[in-house]
């Protein structure tokens, strides 16, 4: 009876795939795919679906913390959807603005490499990919990751800048141009943080490698 009671009381294995934050991640992916499918023909449909996918980026983290459903699957899903969404939009913009194609390629490379290095270095250090140390982190990057209002504002301004460029291709009005120019400084700040994040994460990995080699040499 004792063993039977213990067996009955054991918690069942949870289906992490059905956690609320992950369901939001799937919805974001679907919205982005729909948006990219119609991006060249229906700009307003793309603008709505892409914006909704981006806005939901804040919801998955909120519910992950609120429902105690923070998972590695969710963290990677969130990162992948973010990076693929921005990269997809940059590819579209490279078609709309051929003279800037090289720079859009560079932006995609910077976005992917900076976040990949950050995630991998955090994994090696046993930290979350948004965890930063005040003593070892550049002040701008520390502010970016530790202040949710700053993080939200910068990410929103960055995406709205790209959306503004997209909409300007279809509607080259003064309103769209002014909107895009307003977002430009925030976008520029985001690229600076990406560079800082890339170089800082590379240094962290180099320090880890150097320490491991030193231990093996002893």
């Amino acid at each position: 009876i004792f063993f039977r009671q213990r067996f009955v009381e054991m918690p069942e294995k949870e289906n992490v795939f059905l956690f609320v934050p992950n369901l939001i991640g799937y919805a974001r992916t679907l919205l982005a795919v729909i948006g990219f499918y119609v991006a060249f023909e229906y700009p307003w449909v793309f603008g709505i679906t892409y914006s909704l996918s981006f806005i939901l980026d804040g919801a998955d983290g909120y519910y992950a913390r609120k429902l105690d459903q923070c998972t590695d699957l969710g963290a990677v899903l969130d990162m992948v959807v973010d990076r693929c969404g921005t990269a997809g939009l940059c590819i579209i913009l490279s078609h709309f603005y051929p003279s800037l194609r090289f720079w859009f390629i560079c932006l995609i490379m910077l976005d992917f490499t900076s976040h990949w290095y950050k995630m991998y270095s955090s994994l090696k250090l046993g930290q979350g990919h948004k965890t930063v140390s005040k003593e070892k982190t550049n002040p701008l990057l520390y502010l970016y990751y530790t202040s949710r209002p700053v993080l939200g504002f910068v990410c929103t301004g960055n995406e709205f800048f790209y959306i503004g460029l997209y909409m300007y291709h279809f509607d080259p009005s003064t309103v769209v141009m002014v909107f895009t120019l307003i977002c430009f400084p925030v976008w520029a700040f985001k690229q600076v943080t990406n560079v800082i994040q890339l170089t800082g994460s590379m240094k962290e990995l180099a320090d880890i490698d150097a320490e491991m080699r030193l231990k093996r040499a002893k």
Side-chain angles (χ1 to χ4, degrees), residues 2-159:
F2 172 73
F3 287 109
R4 184 179 179 182
Q5 183 179 6
R6 287 190 62 186
F7 176 77
V8 171
E9 291 178 352
M10 286 180 63
E12 295 183 2
K13 183 179 179 180
E14 296 178 289
N15 190 341
V16 176
F17 286 103
L18 297 181
F19 278 11
V20 172
N22 297 337
L23 294 177
I24 294 174
Y26 308 147
R28 292 184 61 208
T29 303
L30 180 61
L31 286 168
V33 170
I34 293 173
F36 289 133
Y37 184 75
V38 302
F40 290 92
E41 298 177 358
Y42 303 101
W44 287 106
V45 175
F46 170 81
I48 292 172
T49 55
Y50 187 88
S51 296
L52 284 175
S53 178
F54 167 69
I55 291 170
L56 287 174
D57 184 27
D60 58 3
Y62 170 78
Y63 283 106
R65 293 184 295 272
K66 182 179 177 64
L67 302 176
D68 190 25
Q69 293 184 346
C70 297
T71 61
D72 291 336
L73 173 67
V76 175
L77 177 62
D78 177 62
M79 178 73 72
V80 168
V81 176
D82 287 347
R83 304 287 70 76
C84 289
T86 302
L89 182 49
C90 283
I91 291 172
I92 292 173
L93 293 175
S94 71
H95 285 274
F96 291 164
Y97 306 97
S99 62
L100 300 176
R101 185 168 295 161
F102 170 76
W103 297 110
F104 284 120
I105 293 173
C106 290
L107 288 170
I108 293 173
M109 293 171 62
L110 174 62
D111 193 45
F112 269 96
T113 54
S114 66
H115 286 85
W116 170 253
Y117 267 98
K118 173 60 178 172
M119 175 164 278
Y120 191 76
S121 65
S122 297
L123 180 65
K124 296 288 286 186
L125 292 169
Q127 302 174 343
H129 69 282
K130 293 183 179 179
T131 302
V132 291
S133 169
K134 188 174 183 179
E135 294 75 19
K136 299 181 180 180
T137 306
N138 180 281
L140 286 179
L141 192 64
Y142 182 81
L143 174 65
Y144 175 73
Y145 273 123
T146 58
S147 173
R148 294 196 183 280
V150 172
L151 178 64
F153 177 74
V154 173
C155 290
T156 301
N158 180 67
E159 292 298 328

Side-chain angles (χ1 to χ4, degrees), residues 172-214:
S173 64
T174 303
V175 173
V176 176
M177 181 179 66
V178 170
F179 171 81
T180 307
L181 289 175
I182 290 175
C183 296
F184 174 78
V186 184
W187 168 86
F189 178 84
K190 180 66 169 68
Q191 308 319 306
V192 171
T193 61
N194 281 347
V195 172
I196 295 173
Q197 178 172 258
L198 174 60
T199 56
S201 298
M202 291 178 68
K203 185 179 183 305
E204 286 180 342
L205 287 174
D207 290 342
I208 293 173
D209 288 334
E211 290 177 4
M212 290 180 63
R213 291 177 63 84
L214 182 61

